[in-house]
Amino acid sequence: MKPIRLGMVGGGSGAFIGAIHRIAARMDGRFDLVAGALSSDPTRAASSAADLGIRGYTSFAEMARLEAARDDGIEAVAIVTPNHMHAAPAVAFLNAGIHVICDKPLSATAEQARQIADAAAESPARFFLTHNYSALPMVREARALVAEGALGQVRLVHAEYLQGWLSDEVHNKQADWRTDPAQAGAGALGDIGTHAWQLAEFVTGQTPSHVSADLSSVVPGRPIDDDARVALRYASGAKGGIWASQVALGMENGLSLRVFGDRGALDWRLGDSERLIFTPKDGPAQILTRAQDRSGSFRTPPGHPEGYLEGFANLYLDIAEIIRGDTSRLDRVPGLAAGLSGMAFIAAAKASSAQDGTWTEVQP
Amino acid sequence: MKPIRLGMVGGGSGAFIGAIHRIAARMDGRFDLVAGALSSDPTRAASSAADLGIRGYTSFAEMARLEAARDDGIEAVAIVTPNHMHAAPAVAFLNAGIHVICDKPLSATAEQARQIADAAAESPARFFLTHNYSALPMVREARALVAEGALGQVRLVHAEYLQGWLSDEVHNKQADWRTDPAQAGAGALGDIGTHAWQLAEFVTGQTPSHVSADLSSVVPGRPIDDDARVALRYASGAKGGIWASQVALGMENGLSLRVFGDRGALDWRLGDSERLIFTPKDGPAQILTRAQDRSGSFRTPPGHPEGYLEGFANLYLDIAEIIRGDTSRLDRVPGLAAGLSGMAFIAAAKASSAQDGTWTEVQP
Amino acid sequence: MKPIRLGMVGGGSGAFIGAIHRIAARMDGRFDLVAGALSSDPTRAASSAADLGIRGYTSFAEMARLEAARDDGIEAVAIVTPNHMHAAPAVAFLNAGIHVICDKPLSATAEQARQIADAAAESPARFFLTHNYSALPMVREARALVAEGALGQVRLVHAEYLQGWLSDEVHNKQADWRTDPAQAGAGALGDIGTHAWQLAEFVTGQTPSHVSADLSSVVPGRPIDDDARVALRYASGAKGGIWASQVALGMENGLSLRVFGDRGALDWRLGDSERLIFTPKDGPAQILTRAQDRSGSFRTPPGHPEGYLEGFANLYLDIAEIIRGDTSRLDRVPGLAAGLSGMAFIAAAKASSAQDGTWTEVQP
Amino acid sequence: MKPIRLGMVGGGSGAFIGAIHRIAARMDGRFDLVAGALSSDPTRAASSAADLGIRGYTSFAEMARLEAARDDGIEAVAIVTPNHMHAAPAVAFLNAGIHVICDKPLSATAEQARQIADAAAESPARFFLTHNYSALPMVREARALVAEGALGQVRLVHAEYLQGWLSDEVHNKQADWRTDPAQAGAGALGDIGTHAWQLAEFVTGQTPSHVSADLSSVVPGRPIDDDARVALRYASGAKGGIWASQVALGMENGLSLRVFGDRGALDWRLGDSERLIFTPKDGPAQILTRAQDRSGSFRTPPGHPEGYLEGFANLYLDIAEIIRGDTSRLDRVPGLAAGLSGMAFIAAAKASSAQDGTWTEVQP
């Protein structure tokens, strides 16, 4: 199948989430990144595009117009800008008939959200929102278990997303727009609270009907919430809670979801993302892994952990640098010596075992 | 920097490790796969190459000769064949001046290993061996800790690699060559024991001088070892052990390493690969994460776990399929509804918090 | 030091918490149980007292009066009745000048609590409340860390106590009074929510000033709360939450406490009660164990886990039964054969090691 | 049932394992300690006996003779001396017809072991060996699973007991005799290796037929093994390994057992002793807890963790000290204030919930 021609808005040099989207788009070879309006700063937009070897634009509006007009124009666009800059490009590309892959949350304001919804309603193109956590294998399995009734009726839901990186007043590219009400719309609530919300919604298939919230700005002087506690009520009678915090000192990405029903219960934690604990009513807890996953959402056989691919990719990255001349990385890439050492190990172990365990010298 | 032109030997349709190498090579955009001798079966070699849109060869020897002659020929080749088929292509490409990226272990026999070593010695090209586990961030940090003396003198080393997938007699593409002495050379010892050996060697910087081994074929009739217990002695006086098994029922990829010195100790497990437990002599154990890693071997800021990229890639893969027409995947990719739900959550939570927690309806 | 003469109110045959109190009182040999009003049923009170070989009473009032008059009367009394039956005996014994050790929560109603408080104010005797979890070594260490400022200013507190044993309508001795508003006063809130509350209060040294609560009766028809979610606000500005549930299916005793300050954080879970995770602001998380505890709240050197004593006690119990004639337990108590097997192991291992690992027969 | 009259040999003031035996014997009220030859030092023997309020002897031989002659003499004796001092008292008490409860390992030498065996063969009294770990609930459940065939045929066994307390040259009461070959007989091998051996034997029901060992004295100058690696072969064809070390820096009591069969597998670790991981051949791993235990080896309902009793006992111990005048402990024992705080919590939570979560002041 031919790769899909992809554009990007935002994600210039130094950006975090844009780089993530590019890696993800590359991983399966199903997209070719060919164009981008990578920065609102024209110079940076141009240099970032040149670095990536793609068509560069300084305006997303122009990009939408020109790409729509090309025979080889982009078919989809990834929008990886701060929240308040989602709506305008989303509308532009939807209007141009180009599929939109937008980072979460949808927008900074309800008004912007409505603009996107209106554009999507009239466009032949599709709109996708990258809530990445719900695409993990065991989360999809969790959802399947709820859907098939393994938990019975859902009674209690608890989702957390705890980070500590904003425990102090912080100023950098990532922190600045996230703590600016104008750009972000909401703080911990929007940045990570919506992940917890969507995770709970995705797995349970239910949306709470009412909330009771306590939003705080824990760090003095911060103009936006950095801690959000939200109690949930569902139309079904189920109760729940969401706790999202950016001032939970020491926490890195403490996303978790627990669901209790009248026939079973689920416990999933991002820090141990390949295990899903399922407790049926009448039996011991079970540790489900990808061997039990039915969504097929992985690239390696059961048992090859997440990170397996990154380990390989680290080698390929180092090898590329070495081939291009950076020999400082040679010492951390296994080479012939490692191979010969392994062969010496095999030979010595076989010889020792053949002699009933006699201690045998390893001969490199 | 221009991507490196890459070829591949082995890895035709249905192959496991070849697909892994391709994803890893793609992830950072530093390689372009352009040619391959993907199968010893000419028909399969051709169709696999066509699927990938690359130059196909039915012979690695011919590929080495012709690619070396092209201006745009490959600069490096990945060899992802069974163990006994590493040496011949490795020698051919090294002789042709093309860098070799070879899967582990080095070869099936000591004779083949020597052939590779000889070719490497005379070639301007480099030879790399993809022991992927030692490229993980916390393993590299472990090595750095030992190197800087945080453990003092190493006294005890214990490495395990436990799998259960060969607990029964198994026949399939993966199992067949791995349990055939002619193709694999060694069983559990070579397939996973060498991973444990290399991991211990990489982290400690020491190679054992003597081994005492007990290799077993636990499944009746299996012609190769499926369980290997190897005691280790180091020239330094340190002692150690390696246990590699393919019949440890229920284990998926139970790779682990523990090192005890006279000033500190390390504990790392693949199933919890982002945490490295370091215990200094005079203090509590510490949980090191990528926030403490100094090798820079990751693509996301500290706290974004391994698997984060795969989650994003799962979305991009599903989105590609949907754009190309497979709407059956729509229900698991968040879209506009998820975005609007998140916005409704934010709005209701803000309103409730502004009214001191009054229960507030979520209005989609 | 002479043991303290102890009485008990409640705790007749079949009672749960009374038996626990007796074991705990016996463990260090500091109390002698000598008298009891063990049941409101005179027959059961008498037979329970006879089983224990103590002075039996059918009325706690009479017991208070008569014991206070004896030279060898009880010095302290343990009250282990349902919540609504705490106040009357507590007042009687306090009035009689006898120390009171009362199970939690204090009482079923605020009126009863006031009666106890009034009696305590006028009595020379002391009043103790057995919140046992805050007596565990790592909880005491947690408190010490907060007290000495290791967390800085406390910002966020989250305590949970999740059980699943009342997920269905249940009728038995334990469930009946706990789900009866007249006897218990409160359900999950009182039975386990107060544990979470006290744990948070004990460790942080702070009491919340305001709460916002959502109490539910999840199981249809249950006349008392079985799920309690309570948001907390502290006068210091700190925020927190308590979640107590008896319908969290599959949970056994999921008590946990997390505290985040501006200089450090704590995480403790009853299911892993001997480890306290402490994360200082500028360093990796630390795994504190009893080796770091400063309260001295344990009977075994660091490293001998909780349960160590119970293992020994299990042997002593089985040995007692065997000595008294129940030989059916012989097969699970190690005896001479186990001892000789161990000696044969030692001898064979020494001989093998002396011969450089030669395989050596184990000779029983 | 009347308590059994118990004596003790060894266990004078400052002793570790003697104190443990006394607590264990007390816990269920089935033994009364009434006599002891607590030390080979007459003065210490006398003062230790006086402290405990029991009949003191300076010679175990005399104790055996005199106690056997008394109508109210001891029925059983606990021997808690160093290894080389097990045999003589064991023989003396067995000859006197008194049951012997002996700490492990059986003795320091094979000759001593034979003496005990001979005496036991001719005595009407029983001999028990306190391998306490095999008396834990989940270990007994593990054994039951193997016995009933849940693992099928056992193939692989691996037991470890890792400690770090002898990582340096250490001199104290505990270390001195354990590192003296004359008193201990064997070092890590005897002190903790025999625990691992017995644990494996108890659970699998099989004794290895051959061993291959590598014993080391890692700390320079230590006259006894402090690290023992022992490979195991069973008559059934099963293979195994034991690793016992006292120089595994940072490890406290790292006892663990893994057993792999052809139908299932077990994993148990002392550090998480209440969970037993059982993996059946065709299903996910299961987390077994005391709710699944069938041996009844616990004093509290499923879900009340080991350590629960120690928490209660800590309170009783502190309360005893306070009653006897040590008010410095008052601050860590919950009292009336804690009780009133809990009642205020209940009242405020109920009031808030009744008003739909309105924030409500906590009124102490």
Side-chain angles (χ1 to χ4, degrees):
Chain A
M1 201 182 296
K2 257 188 102 62
I4 292 164
R5 294 181 301 278
L6 181 69
M8 183 168 276
V9 177
S13 57
F16 157 53
I17 203 69
I20 297 297
H21 277 252
R22 289 195 291 268
I23 293 173
R26 246 185 335 249
M27 202 180 283
D28 295 299
R30 302 296 304 275
F31 289 88
D32 274 344
L33 184 69
V34 296
L38 301 171
S39 173
S40 51
D41 168 348
T43 311
R44 199 158 144 267
S47 70
S48 296
D51 285 350
L52 292 168
I54 62 173
R55 294 190 289 275
Y57 296 88
T58 53
S59 143
F60 67 79
E62 187 184 49
M63 174 173 158
R65 189 167 44 84
L66 295 181
E67 289 291 322
R70 292 176 72 116
D71 281 351
D72 63 349
I74 60 171
E75 302 168 81
V77 68
I79 299 177
V80 293
T81 45
N83 303 351
H84 72 307
M85 284 297 298
H86 288 176
V91 169
F93 286 94
L94 286 170
N95 286 350
I98 292 168
H99 303 296
V100 170
I101 302 166
C102 182
D103 208 60
K104 48 51 58 187
L106 186 57
S107 57
T109 67
E111 168 62 18
Q112 293 162 6
R114 208 182 39 74
Q115 293 165 2
I116 297 174
D118 290 348
E122 292 172 22
S123 172
R126 295 189 184 278
F127 182 88
F128 305 100
L129 198 71
T130 49
H131 274 298
N132 53 305
Y133 299 115
S134 63
L136 293 172
M138 300 323 294
V139 173
R140 289 181 166 178
E141 177 63 16
R143 184 198 198 195
L145 285 168
V146 174
E148 76 190 19
L151 272 70
Q153 185 173 336
V154 169
R155 290 171 159 182
L156 308 173
V157 179
H158 186 80
E160 293 183 2
Y161 202 144
L162 303 185
Q163 298 179 328
W165 70 296
L166 293 179
S167 290
D168 286 317
E169 206 180 315
V170 175
H171 290 293
N172 61 37
K173 185 181 171 67
Q174 297 305 323
D176 286 351
W177 75 258
R178 281 184 171 81
T179 54
D180 174 0
Q183 295 184 68
L189 184 70
D191 197 35
I192 54 178
T194 49
H195 272 307
W197 172 269
Q198 189 267 342
L199 185 66
E201 190 176 49
F202 183 82
V203 169
T204 64
Q206 294 183 42
T207 304
S209 63
H210 290 78
V211 300
S212 166
D214 192 13
L215 308 184
S216 314
S217 295
V218 171
V219 171
R222 182 164 287 157
I224 204 167
D225 64 283
D226 51 21
D227 186 82
R229 295 153 184 284
V230 188
L232 311 175
R233 287 183 181 160
Y234 292 81
S236 67
K239 300 286 180 87
I242 284 179
W243 180 19
S245 187
Q246 293 163 325
V247 293
L249 189 148
M251 296 299 294
E252 297 187 338
N253 273 283
L255 176 64
S256 66
L257 177 67
R258 289 174 281 171
V259 184
F260 298 93
D262 62 1
R263 292 187 45 203
L266 287 176
D267 187 336
W268 178 84
R269 291 159 199 267
L270 182 58
D272 193 22
S273 66
E274 306 212 40
R275 277 176 279 264
L276 171 65
I277 309 298
F278 168 61
T279 307
K281 189 174 175 179
D282 297 310
Q286 299 173 1
I287 306 172
L288 306 183
T289 70
R290 279 189 275 159
Q292 279 81 39
D293 168 81
R294 293 163 290 183
S295 73
S297 309
F298 47 88
R299 290 156 189 79
T300 55
H304 290 81
E306 306 285 351
Y308 184 81
L309 293 169
E310 280 87 344
F312 266 106
N314 282 347
L315 287 182
Y316 269 90
L317 181 61
D318 284 339
I319 289 170
E321 294 288 347
I322 292 167
I323 289 177
R324 286 291 183 250
D326 176 3
T327 53
S328 72
R329 300 191 181 213
L330 265 175
D331 76 325
R332 65 184 194 183
V333 178
L336 191 62
L340 292 172
S341 178
M343 295 306 291
F345 165 62
I346 292 174
K350 281 182 161 184
S352 170
S353 187
Q355 296 171 69
D356 215 22
T358 300
W359 282 95
T360 302
E361 191 177 357
V362 178
Q363 296 185 302
Chain B
M1 199 181 297
K2 257 187 101 62
I4 292 164
R5 295 181 300 278
L6 181 69
M8 183 168 275
V9 177
S13 56
F16 158 52
I17 204 69
I20 297 297
H21 277 252
R22 288 195 292 268
I23 294 173
R26 242 183 343 246
M27 203 180 284
D28 294 299
R30 303 296 304 273
F31 289 88
D32 274 345
L33 184 69
V34 296
L38 301 171
S39 173
S40 50
D41 169 347
T43 310
R44 201 159 141 264
S47 69
S48 297
D51 285 350
L52 292 167
I54 61 173
R55 295 190 288 276
Y57 295 89
T58 53
S59 144
F60 68 78
E62 188 184 47
M63 174 173 159
R65 189 165 48 81
L66 294 181
E67 289 290 325
R70 292 176 70 117
D71 280 351
D72 64 348
I74 61 172
E75 302 168 81
V77 69
I79 298 178
V80 293
T81 46
N83 303 351
H84 73 305
M85 283 299 298
H86 288 177
V91 170
F93 286 95
L94 286 171
N95 287 349
I98 292 168
H99 302 296
V100 170
I101 301 165
C102 182
D103 208 62
K104 48 52 55 187
L106 187 57
S107 57
T109 67
E111 168 61 19
Q112 293 162 6
R114 207 180 41 72
Q115 292 165 2
I116 297 175
D118 290 348
E122 292 171 25
S123 173
R126 293 190 184 279
F127 182 89
F128 304 101
L129 198 71
T130 48
H131 273 299
N132 53 306
Y133 298 115
S134 63
L136 293 172
M138 300 323 293
V139 173
R140 288 179 167 180
E141 177 62 17
R143 183 197 196 196
L145 286 169
V146 174
E148 76 190 19
L151 273 70
Q153 185 172 335
V154 169
R155 289 170 159 184
L156 308 174
V157 179
H158 187 80
E160 293 182 2
Y161 202 144
L162 303 185
Q163 298 179 327
W165 69 296
L166 293 179
S167 289
D168 286 317
E169 206 179 314
V170 176
H171 291 292
N172 61 37
K173 185 180 171 69
Q174 296 306 324
D176 286 350
W177 75 260
R178 280 183 172 81
T179 54
D180 174 1
Q183 295 184 69
L189 184 69
D191 197 36
I192 55 178
T194 49
H195 271 308
W197 172 269
Q198 190 266 343
L199 184 67
E201 190 177 48
F202 182 82
V203 169
T204 65
Q206 295 182 42
T207 305
S209 62
H210 290 77
V211 299
S212 166
D214 192 14
L215 308 184
S216 313
S217 295
V218 170
V219 171
R222 182 165 287 159
I224 204 166
D225 63 282
D226 51 20
D227 185 83
R229 294 151 185 286
V230 188
L232 310 174
R233 287 182 182 161
Y234 292 81
S236 67
K239 301 286 179 87
I242 284 178
W243 179 20
S245 186
Q246 294 162 325
V247 293
L249 189 148
M251 295 299 293
E252 296 186 339
N253 273 282
L255 176 64
S256 65
L257 176 68
R258 288 174 281 171
V259 184
F260 299 93
D262 61 2
R263 293 186 46 202
L266 288 175
D267 187 337
W268 179 83
R269 292 158 199 268
L270 181 58
D272 194 22
S273 66
E274 305 212 40
R275 278 176 278 263
L276 172 65
I277 309 298
F278 168 61
T279 308
K281 188 174 175 178
D282 297 311
Q286 299 172 1
I287 306 172
L288 307 182
T289 70
R290 279 188 277 159
Q292 279 81 37
D293 169 81
R294 293 164 289 185
S295 73
S297 310
F298 47 88
R299 289 155 191 80
T300 56
H304 291 81
E306 308 283 354
Y308 184 79
L309 294 170
E310 280 88 344
F312 267 106
N314 283 347
L315 288 182
Y316 269 90
L317 181 61
D318 284 338
I319 290 170
E321 295 287 347
I322 292 167
I323 290 178
R324 287 294 182 247
D326 176 2
T327 52
S328 73
R329 300 189 181 214
L330 266 176
D331 75 326
R332 66 184 194 183
V333 178
L336 190 62
L340 292 171
S341 177
M343 296 305 291
F345 165 62
I346 292 174
K350 282 182 160 184
S352 170
S353 188
Q355 297 171 68
D356 214 23
T358 300
W359 283 96
T360 304
E361 191 177 357
V362 179
Q363 295 184 300
Chain C
M1 200 180 298
K2 259 188 99 63
I4 292 164
R5 295 182 301 279
L6 180 69
M8 182 167 278
V9 177
S13 57
F16 158 53
I17 204 68
I20 298 298
H21 277 252
R22 286 195 293 266
I23 293 174
R26 249 189 327 253
M27 202 181 283
D28 294 301
R30 302 296 303 275
F31 289 88
D32 274 344
L33 184 69
V34 296
L38 302 171
S39 174
S40 50
D41 169 348
T43 311
R44 200 159 142 265
S47 69
S48 297
D51 286 350
L52 292 168
I54 61 175
R55 294 190 287 276
Y57 296 88
T58 52
S59 143
F60 65 80
E62 188 186 45
M63 173 173 159
R65 189 167 45 84
L66 295 181
E67 289 290 323
R70 292 176 70 116
D71 281 350
D72 63 348
I74 60 171
E75 302 168 81
V77 68
I79 299 177
V80 293
T81 44
N83 304 350
H84 72 306
M85 283 300 298
H86 289 177
V91 169
F93 286 94
L94 287 169
N95 287 349
I98 292 169
H99 302 296
V100 170
I101 302 166
C102 182
D103 208 61
K104 45 53 59 186
L106 186 56
S107 57
T109 68
E111 168 60 18
Q112 294 162 4
R114 207 178 41 72
Q115 292 165 2
I116 297 175
D118 290 348
E122 294 172 23
S123 172
R126 296 189 183 278
F127 182 89
F128 305 100
L129 198 70
T130 49
H131 273 298
N132 53 304
Y133 299 116
S134 64
L136 293 173
M138 301 323 295
V139 172
R140 288 180 166 178
E141 177 63 18
R143 184 198 197 195
L145 286 168
V146 174
E148 75 189 21
L151 273 70
Q153 185 171 336
V154 169
R155 290 170 158 183
L156 308 173
V157 179
H158 186 80
E160 292 183 2
Y161 202 143
L162 304 185
Q163 299 179 327
W165 69 296
L166 293 179
S167 290
D168 285 316
E169 205 178 315
V170 175
H171 290 294
N172 60 38
K173 185 179 171 70
Q174 297 306 323
D176 286 349
W177 75 260
R178 281 183 171 82
T179 54
D180 174 1
Q183 295 185 68
L189 184 68
D191 196 36
I192 53 178
T194 49
H195 271 308
W197 172 269
Q198 189 267 344
L199 184 68
E201 191 177 48
F202 182 82
V203 169
T204 64
Q206 294 183 42
T207 304
S209 62
H210 290 78
V211 300
S212 166
D214 193 12
L215 308 184
S216 313
S217 296
V218 171
V219 170
R222 180 165 289 157
I224 204 167
D225 64 283
D226 51 21
D227 185 84
R229 297 153 182 285
V230 188
L232 311 174
R233 287 182 182 161
Y234 291 81
S236 67
K239 301 285 180 87
I242 284 179
W243 179 20
S245 187
Q246 293 163 325
V247 293
L249 190 148
M251 296 299 293
E252 297 186 339
N253 273 283
L255 175 64
S256 65
L257 176 68
R258 289 174 280 171
V259 184
F260 299 93
D262 62 1
R263 293 186 47 204
L266 288 176
D267 188 337
W268 178 83
R269 291 158 199 268
L270 181 59
D272 193 23
S273 65
E274 304 213 40
R275 278 176 279 264
L276 171 66
I277 309 299
F278 168 61
T279 307
K281 188 174 176 178
D282 297 311
Q286 299 172 1
I287 306 172
L288 307 183
T289 69
R290 279 189 276 159
Q292 279 81 40
D293 168 80
R294 293 163 290 183
S295 73
S297 310
F298 47 88
R299 289 155 189 79
T300 56
H304 291 82
E306 306 283 353
Y308 183 79
L309 293 170
E310 280 88 343
F312 266 105
N314 283 347
L315 288 183
Y316 270 88
L317 181 60
D318 285 338
I319 289 170
E321 294 287 347
I322 292 167
I323 289 178
R324 286 292 182 249
D326 177 3
T327 53
S328 73
R329 301 191 180 212
L330 266 175
D331 75 326
R332 67 185 194 184
V333 178
L336 190 63
L340 293 171
S341 178
M343 295 306 291
F345 165 62
I346 292 174
K350 283 181 159 183
S352 170
S353 189
Q355 297 171 68
D356 216 22
T358 300
W359 283 95
T360 302
E361 191 178 356
V362 179
Q363 294 184 301
Chain D
M1 202 181 296
K2 258 188 101 60
I4 292 165
R5 296 180 301 277
L6 180 69
M8 182 168 277
V9 177
S13 58
F16 158 51
I17 204 69
I20 297 298
H21 278 252
R22 288 194 292 267
I23 294 173
R26 250 190 325 255
M27 202 180 283
D28 295 300
R30 303 295 304 274
F31 289 89
D32 274 346
L33 183 69
V34 296
L38 301 171
S39 173
S40 49
D41 170 347
T43 311
R44 200 158 143 266
S47 70
S48 297
D51 285 351
L52 292 167
I54 61 175
R55 295 189 288 275
Y57 295 88
T58 52
S59 144
F60 66 79
E62 189 184 46
M63 174 173 158
R65 189 165 46 84
L66 295 181
E67 289 290 324
R70 292 176 70 115
D71 280 351
D72 63 349
I74 60 172
E75 302 168 79
V77 68
I79 299 177
V80 294
T81 45
N83 304 350
H84 74 305
M85 283 299 298
H86 288 177
V91 169
F93 287 94
L94 286 170
N95 286 349
I98 292 169
H99 302 297
V100 170
I101 301 167
C102 182
D103 208 60
K104 47 51 57 188
L106 187 57
S107 57
T109 67
E111 168 60 17
Q112 293 162 6
R114 206 179 41 72
Q115 292 165 3
I116 297 174
D118 289 349
E122 293 172 23
S123 172
R126 295 190 182 277
F127 183 89
F128 304 101
L129 198 71
T130 49
H131 273 298
N132 53 305
Y133 300 115
S134 64
L136 293 172
M138 301 323 294
V139 172
R140 289 181 167 178
E141 178 62 17
R143 183 199 199 195
L145 286 168
V146 174
E148 76 189 21
L151 272 71
Q153 185 172 338
V154 170
R155 288 170 159 182
L156 309 172
V157 178
H158 186 80
E160 293 183 1
Y161 202 143
L162 303 184
Q163 298 179 328
W165 69 296
L166 293 179
S167 290
D168 286 316
E169 206 178 314
V170 175
H171 291 293
N172 60 38
K173 186 181 170 67
Q174 297 306 323
D176 286 350
W177 74 260
R178 281 183 172 82
T179 55
D180 174 2
Q183 294 184 70
L189 184 69
D191 197 35
I192 53 178
T194 49
H195 270 310
W197 172 269
Q198 190 267 342
L199 185 67
E201 190 177 49
F202 183 81
V203 170
T204 65
Q206 295 183 42
T207 305
S209 62
H210 290 78
V211 299
S212 165
D214 193 13
L215 307 185
S216 312
S217 295
V218 170
V219 171
R222 179 165 289 157
I224 203 167
D225 63 283
D226 52 20
D227 186 83
R229 296 152 184 286
V230 188
L232 311 174
R233 287 182 182 160
Y234 291 80
S236 68
K239 300 285 180 88
I242 284 177
W243 180 19
S245 187
Q246 292 163 326
V247 293
L249 190 148
M251 296 298 294
E252 296 186 338
N253 274 282
L255 176 63
S256 66
L257 177 68
R258 289 174 279 170
V259 184
F260 299 94
D262 61 2
R263 294 186 45 202
L266 288 177
D267 188 336
W268 178 84
R269 291 156 199 269
L270 181 59
D272 194 21
S273 66
E274 305 213 40
R275 280 176 277 265
L276 171 66
I277 309 299
F278 168 61
T279 308
K281 189 174 175 178
D282 297 310
Q286 299 173 2
I287 306 172
L288 307 184
T289 70
R290 279 189 277 160
Q292 279 80 40
D293 168 79
R294 294 164 288 183
S295 73
S297 310
F298 47 89
R299 288 155 190 78
T300 55
H304 290 82
E306 308 283 354
Y308 183 80
L309 293 170
E310 279 89 344
F312 267 105
N314 283 346
L315 289 182
Y316 269 89
L317 180 61
D318 285 339
I319 290 169
E321 294 287 348
I322 293 166
I323 289 178
R324 286 292 183 247
D326 176 4
T327 53
S328 72
R329 301 190 180 213
L330 265 175
D331 75 326
R332 66 184 194 184
V333 178
L336 190 64
L340 292 172
S341 178
M343 296 306 292
F345 165 61
I346 292 175
K350 282 182 160 184
S352 170
S353 188
Q355 296 171 69
D356 216 22
T358 301
W359 283 95
T360 303
E361 191 178 356
V362 178
Q363 295 184 301

